[in-house]
Amino acid sequence: MAAETVLPGPAEVNSFIEELNQAYEKAHLEYEKSFWSTKMGLTGASAAELASTKTAYDAFLADPARLAAVREALGRDGLTPEQRHVLEIMEKTFKTYLTEDPRVAELKERVNELEAELQNARNGMALGYTDTQGAFHKASSVQLRNKMRTDDDEAMRKACYEGLRSIGPFVAEKFAEIVRTRQRLAKAAGYENFYSMKFEQAEGFSLPELFEILDGLEQRTRPIMEQARKTLAEQKGEPALLPWNIGYSLAGDVEKKMDPYLPFDSAVDIWARTFAALGIKYRGATMALDLCDRDGKYSNGFCHWPQPAYFKTDGSWVPSRTNFTSLATPSAVGSGKTALVTLLHEGGHAAHFANVLQRSPFFSQERAPTSVAYAETQSMFLDSLAGDAAWLGRYALNSQGEVMPWEVIEEKIKSTQPFEVFQVRAMLSVPYFEKALYDLPEEEVTGERILALADEIESKIEGGPTARPLMSVPHILSDESSGYYQGYVLAEMAVHQTRAAFKAKYGRLVDEPRIGTDLAEGYWAPGNGESYLKLVENATGGPLSADAWVKQLQTPLKERLEEEKKEYEAAVAAGPAIPAGQEADLDMRILLVHGDEQVADSADGGLSKACDIYKDWLRKTFPAEQ
């Protein structure tokens, strides 16, 4: 990586910035090492160490002496604009976490301890389903949701739903104590409640302003949702609306037809070629991918970067190091599609944070004051490609090299397009639940009330009990992702707006190499040094709006099919920009791991070879179901 120029300005200020950068890196790395170890259930993982490193990290960010030193540096004569830009993001970050009440540090430490205890208990939970013969089968939440979408046996689907519902009662009492402690922490820090604190720290505007936006979307999509539920009941009967049937009613048969064309063992290669064809580069990053499910592993995909990317003050580049996980069961129907969507999503996060071109890791870390919506816009834009006929026509191939037939894609669109609003409502239900949860008086924050509140919000926002019970959503339980989910809603608005802007500019999205450049320059390079709303407007040419999203929901099915078929036929004729078997250059080292085991390394002969080694390992480790 070629060096940039030395940061211009007084040398003593550069020395101060460099010392603070290195101190931040140390606290960040130590916490992230414990985080990955604990979430992945690695040998030697320690909940106590996770809590202590998280407390140390929080203490670093909340140290008043560091904020005072940054402010002193900002008051110096002779600062250059570049130095001031770095110091201002440091000041903004420390201000986000710093409070004068001494109870805050104590309460943060207590929250960390409680969350580590809950995480340990949740990791050890005997989650699964009981079959009709009374036998219990262990299964992760991802496996349970997947079987609900694809299993032909309604009794089995209902058993999987009951398994997901069991998470709520299991965690409720411990979670209630966490909520009460979070509330005391937020009030000691000067906020109305914990949700207000988390949101305002990350996004920089108020919770009432957020819900003005969300209320508008909720009102515009409610009649679409009500009509969709009516249509589904008319087409497939009232039982189709039962929570264990709704996903299967929409996708059960067609998911099986799509499955051979989206094999799990090709997922890494397809993801890499998709991103390389978009012109996405990772600037020398290293990424560890732990993709397969196993006992004791955290029940949600995520991407974290223990090493944030940045330029040092001397101009040298520090590439990111990324840890990336999903929960695939390679032999299960639908696992390939799930893996690909996860790879596109989490790989999008990694691409974003690998391309922040600033002079400090403070710009390229994912926590506040980095906007949640900003981070999620990047990943959700890229995972949206997996639903496009233009992408499926290039990358969805079976073991004989045959492309997914149009008839299968057409059936998928027909079965889901009238009901896409259900996903909108599912996304909205989480922030509405968290708002209601943190509005509860302390004496009402009990396990029983939390469970009842979750059911109330599901009925109010989604029209009834849902396939994803709110208390099975892992974001709600964890400090780093609580008060987070509205970011997905804002991001989805921006995704549709960004897709529309790129289509208008280039005429296509898939295999368009200029998009990677536009993302890197417009969205990624500034990091959290620009506001989210400004970045969206700069990238798309207009202020953030739900218009493109609502327009998509209201597009007539016939019009949608005509457009998708035209793009599919062009995709099949063109083929992928980077054919299967050809090396995809992402400027990144990829490690394929399974817990403590390293399976393959792209540094040993390239990514294609690593993917072949991984395929062999998958076939031996996860033999096909008979």
Side-chain angles (χ1 to χ4, degrees):
M1 180 64 60
E4 291 282 302
T5 58
V6 172
L7 180 63
E12 59 272 23
V13 175
N14 281 359
S15 295
F16 171 76
I17 289 172
E18 198 60 42
E19 287 173 9
L20 198 50
N21 283 346
Q22 290 176 15
Y24 175 82
E25 274 186 304
K26 183 175 184 295
H28 184 271
L29 281 162
E30 288 178 354
Y31 165 64
E32 287 292 346
K33 180 181 177 181
S34 295
F35 181 89
W36 178 254
S37 176
T38 305
K39 298 294 186 184
M40 294 300 99
L42 302 185
T43 301
S46 164
E49 184 178 349
L50 175 62
S52 67
T53 55
K54 178 64 162 58
T55 295
Y57 186 27
D58 288 343
F60 176 92
L61 292 169
D63 185 347
R66 290 192 171 92
L67 176 59
V70 169
R71 285 176 168 166
E72 182 181 348
L74 277 166
R76 288 179 57 97
D77 293 332
L79 288 183
T80 62
E82 294 87 351
Q83 288 177 325
R84 184 170 296 279
H85 184 56
V86 176
L87 291 168
E88 284 176 347
I89 198 61
M90 290 174 166
E91 180 187 34
K92 183 178 180 180
T93 303
F94 287 128
K95 282 170 59 180
T96 298
Y97 295 94
L98 185 62
T99 56
E100 296 181 6
D101 193 320
R103 293 176 298 163
V104 170
E106 180 182 332
L107 287 165
K108 279 185 178 178
E109 185 169 1
R110 180 59 180 153
V111 168
N112 292 338
E113 291 169 354
L114 290 171
E115 290 190 359
E117 290 170 10
L118 178 56
Q119 180 64 56
N120 252 11
R122 176 65 183 83
N123 281 351
M125 178 186 179
L127 184 62
Y129 62 92
T130 302
D131 65 24
T132 52
Q133 283 71 48
F136 179 79
H137 302 265
K138 293 182 74 172
S140 70
S141 57
V142 172
Q143 291 171 314
L144 293 171
R145 288 196 299 270
N146 193 51
K147 285 184 75 67
M148 285 167 61
R149 285 195 303 269
T150 61
D151 201 292
D152 293 328
D153 184 350
E154 183 178 358
M156 183 70 75
R157 298 197 299 272
K158 184 177 181 182
C160 289
Y161 171 74
E162 290 169 348
L164 281 174
R165 284 279 295 183
S166 73
I167 295 172
F170 182 86
V171 303
E173 289 302 329
K174 287 181 180 295
F175 182 56
E177 186 178 359
I178 289 171
V179 171
R180 291 191 296 266
T181 310
R182 285 175 178 173
Q183 292 284 64
R184 293 172 198 145
L185 164 63
K187 288 173 182 176
Y191 292 88
E192 181 180 352
N193 61 34
F194 179 77
Y195 194 11
S196 293
M197 181 181 79
K198 285 296 296 285
F199 179 76
E200 291 173 24
Q201 287 176 346
E203 302 298 341
F205 58 101
S206 72
L207 211 55
E209 290 174 294
L210 167 68
F211 277 89
E212 186 176 340
I213 295 170
L214 298 189
D215 287 347
L217 180 62
E218 193 278 324
Q219 291 159 14
R220 293 175 73 180
T221 58
R222 177 171 287 278
I224 304 173
M225 181 266 288
E226 291 170 347
Q227 181 57 52
R229 287 179 64 86
K230 181 180 177 182
T231 299
L232 183 60
E234 289 171 350
Q235 289 181 356
K236 301 195 176 182
E238 287 289 339
L241 294 173
L242 292 170
W244 53 86
N245 288 335
I246 192 164
Y248 178 81
S249 299
L250 298 178
D253 291 335
V254 74
E255 290 283 349
K256 295 186 184 71
K257 294 176 184 177
M258 295 177 76
D259 189 63
Y261 300 93
L262 297 167
F264 177 84
D265 62 8
S266 297
V268 175
D269 174 66
I270 293 171
W271 156 69
R273 289 188 291 118
T274 298
F275 274 31
L278 288 169
I280 291 172
K281 301 286 188 183
Y282 285 80
R283 300 181 68 90
T286 297
M287 179 188 287
L289 281 70
D290 188 327
L291 302 179
C292 299
D293 201 8
R294 61 181 179 277
D295 288 347
K297 186 178 179 181
Y298 183 61
S299 61
N300 201 52
F302 67 81
C303 180
H304 275 219
W305 25 101
Q307 176 60 66
Y310 72 104
F311 285 107
K312 291 186 175 184
T313 55
D314 66 5
S316 58
W317 172 246
V318 180
S320 69
R321 292 208 314 272
T322 301
N323 291 327
F324 172 157
T325 179
S326 67
L327 292 114
T329 302
S331 56
V333 172
S335 63
K337 179 185 175 185
T338 300
L340 274 162
V341 172
T342 303
L343 281 157
L344 293 170
H345 181 96
E346 305 298 348
H349 279 310
H352 166 196
F353 285 96
N355 281 277
V356 176
L357 306 183
Q358 301 298 322
R359 297 288 192 154
S360 171
F362 284 78
F363 289 97
S364 53
Q365 53 84 27
E366 71 270 33
R367 296 167 186 84
T370 298
S371 161
V372 172
Y374 169 42
E376 295 301 336
T377 296
Q378 318 313 313
S379 55
M380 290 166 62
F381 170 78
L382 289 160
D383 79 38
S384 74
L385 299 176
D388 292 349
W391 184 85
L392 294 166
R394 289 174 170 85
Y395 292 99
L397 306 176
N398 65 15
S399 57
Q400 287 77 47
E402 299 165 333
V403 70
M404 184 183 290
W406 165 250
E407 292 71 24
V408 174
I409 299 171
E410 181 181 35
E411 182 181 348
K412 173 68 171 176
I413 296 170
K414 286 180 176 179
S415 69
T416 59
Q417 196 265 356
F419 310 106
E420 287 177 348
V421 68
F422 292 162
Q423 182 60 29
V424 181
R425 306 298 292 192
M427 292 170 72
L428 280 170
S429 68
V430 180
Y432 276 97
F433 170 65
E434 290 195 296
K435 182 178 186 299
L437 173 64
Y438 292 104
D439 280 343
L440 287 175
E442 182 168 345
E443 63 272 15
E444 290 188 33
V445 181
T446 64
E448 182 180 3
R449 182 68 184 103
I450 288 172
L451 294 174
L453 183 63
D455 289 343
E456 291 166 18
I457 295 296
E458 284 183 33
S459 293
K460 179 180 177 181
I461 301 298
E462 301 187 61
T466 65
R468 183 199 60 171
L470 275 168
M471 288 301 291
S472 73
V473 178
H475 301 70
I476 293 168
L477 305 181
S478 172
D479 171 70
E480 66 161 15
S481 56
S482 56
Y484 187 111
Y485 219 88
Q486 70 285 332
Y488 293 115
V489 182
L490 297 175
E492 191 68 29
M493 292 183 187
V495 166
H496 285 278
Q497 192 166 318
T498 303
R499 285 173 59 91
F502 283 154
K503 271 203 164 185
K505 186 175 183 180
Y506 298 124
R508 65 174 183 170
L509 299 176
V510 181
D511 286 4
E512 173 47 67
R514 290 171 291 186
I515 286 178
T517 301
D518 283 356
L519 290 171
E521 293 177 354
Y523 270 128
W524 301 343
N528 60 18
E530 292 279 6
S531 75
Y532 173 62
L533 297 179
K534 183 177 179 182
L535 284 167
V536 173
E537 186 163 2
N538 289 346
T540 66
L544 179 65
S545 164
D547 290 350
W549 194 3
V550 174
K551 180 182 178 182
Q552 170 83 359
L553 295 171
Q554 294 175 332
T555 299
L557 179 60
K558 182 174 182 292
E559 182 181 328
R560 174 83 171 270
L561 287 168
E562 288 173 352
E563 180 183 351
E564 293 281 0
K565 186 175 183 182
K566 180 180 177 181
E567 294 190 356
Y568 170 82
E569 289 172 346
V572 172
I578 302 172
Q582 183 174 322
E583 191 76 14
D585 179 16
L586 294 171
D587 190 15
M588 174 172 58
R589 179 186 180 187
I590 294 177
L591 306 171
L592 293 160
V593 303
H594 186 63
D596 293 304
E597 178 184 3
Q598 181 172 302
V599 178
D601 182 349
S602 68
D604 300 329
L607 180 56
S608 292
K609 181 181 176 182
C611 287
D612 289 341
I613 293 170
Y614 192 57
K615 282 184 182 182
D616 290 341
W617 177 85
L618 286 169
R619 292 180 187 125
K620 293 172 185 174
T621 309
F622 298 92
E625 294 180 350
Q626 300 300 316

